[in-house]
Amino acid sequence: MNADARVAPSLVEAAETRIAAYDWPALTAELDGFGCAVMEKLLSPEECRQLAGLYPQEQHFRSHIHMARHGFGKGEYRYFRYPLPDLIGGLRGALYPRLAEVANRWNERMGIATRYPATHAAFLDQCHAAGQVRPTPLLLQYVPGDFNCLHQDLYGDLAFPLQVAILLSEPGEDFTGGEFALTEQRPRMQSRVEVVHLRQGDAVAFAVHNRPVQGTKGNYRVNLRHGVSRLRSGMRHTVGIIFHDAR
């Protein structure tokens, strides 16, 4: 049994109900058109506070990263250990099937042979068989002056093409600055920037690495990176839900 399967059934069902309530044709159209889509109010303010409150509790995490030491930017984050907090594990399992449909269609359009299984448990089995066994969901913390350089969260040969970030803090009250940004590089063109404005509890699903774009001669791949602009004041917490595990 993989670690995500330990999530209480009632919480899995609650997460599935919450995810199913969104307009997925509209979200899919946003992903296809811009490489990202916002799910408003995925978490309640109380759930956001509870998750942000985990940050100083060492027992929930497998590692603590200071970004400046690695040239990633300035700020810090912690990777959760298995078993994940029930809410994170439930959302990870509930979001995956919806996004796997998008990922499989994108791979077909880009001529990539990989197809993703219908359940997250089956996909984690593939990750673990490939030697990618370390959980990747993370909790990030920024204070004034912190930022996250443009990057891609790959972690190994097997990488799911979409991921989700959930803002746990309220802009204008808990912090200022710190906007989520996504850049897209199309062949022989300058990069396009998408700035995503989130409120507390909102989630953004976005492309990890590549996505297809329809051109005059068929589909072609564009390369994407994401990051966070400089925090001006306060403190900002975010949960990142990455669907592949790390080597």
Side-chain angles (χ1 to χ4, degrees):
M1 178 181 294
N2 68 65
D4 272 7
R6 300 175 192 168
V7 178
S10 60
L11 285 164
V12 172
E13 292 170 5
E16 289 174 347
T17 299
R18 193 179 304 200
I19 298 304
Y22 287 100
D23 182 348
W24 280 97
L27 292 176
T28 297
E30 287 284 304
L31 286 167
D32 285 343
F34 304 102
C36 60
V38 173
M39 292 170 277
E40 295 182 351
K41 298 180 180 178
L42 178 60
L43 298 182
S44 69
E46 179 57 28
E47 288 169 331
C48 291
R49 286 190 289 270
Q50 289 176 356
L51 288 175
L54 297 178
Y55 196 84
Q57 301 178 31
E58 300 279 353
Q59 68 269 25
H60 297 291
F61 303 99
R62 66 172 177 84
S63 65
H64 186 180
I65 307 298
H66 293 272
M67 287 190 269
R69 295 178 184 172
H70 306 276
F72 297 162
K74 189 172 181 289
E76 58 184 74
Y77 54 88
R78 291 183 161 184
Y79 288 106
F80 286 103
R81 65 170 71 249
Y82 280 136
L84 300 175
D86 286 338
L87 182 58
I88 300 301
L91 289 172
R92 198 184 192 204
L95 284 162
Y96 172 86
R98 303 281 182 169
L99 297 177
E101 294 180 9
V102 177
N104 284 331
R105 186 165 46 78
W106 280 6
N107 278 6
E108 182 177 2
R109 289 176 58 189
M110 291 187 292
I112 298 172
T114 301
R115 296 294 181 270
Y116 300 95
T119 68
H120 190 240
F123 178 61
L124 281 184
D125 286 342
Q126 293 181 356
C127 289
H128 297 172
Q132 296 178 211
V133 298
R134 296 188 297 161
T136 49
L138 67 162
L139 183 56
L140 303 99
Q141 178 174 280
Y142 300 85
V143 296
D146 289 353
F147 62 96
N148 198 346
C149 295
L150 294 171
H151 65 285
Q152 300 169 329
D153 295 311
L154 297 176
Y155 299 113
D157 294 333
L158 190 58
F160 190 72
L162 294 123
Q163 67 189 71
V164 173
I166 310 170
L167 183 62
L168 304 180
S169 308
E170 179 61 31
E173 295 182 13
D174 298 323
F175 71 94
T176 61
E179 292 88 359
F180 177 89
L182 190 71
T183 65
E184 181 178 277
Q185 179 61 60
R186 301 190 181 193
R188 298 176 297 281
M189 296 175 65
Q190 294 188 17
S191 295
R192 184 180 70 87
V193 178
E194 187 82 11
V195 177
V196 181
H197 297 287
L198 302 172
R199 307 298 300 184
Q200 184 182 47
D202 291 351
V204 57
F206 57 97
V208 173
H209 184 204
N210 299 122
R211 75 176 185 91
V213 171
Q214 180 67 44
T216 57
K217 298 180 180 180
N219 289 288
Y220 61 93
R221 300 184 199 184
V222 297
N223 189 51
L224 297 102
R225 296 180 183 273
H226 64 279
V228 174
S229 70
R230 177 166 56 95
L231 203 76
R232 306 286 178 163
S233 66
M235 182 177 288
R236 179 187 190 273
H237 286 99
T238 309
V239 161
I241 299 180
I242 298 165
F243 297 95
H244 47 275
D245 278 352
R247 188 175 295 279

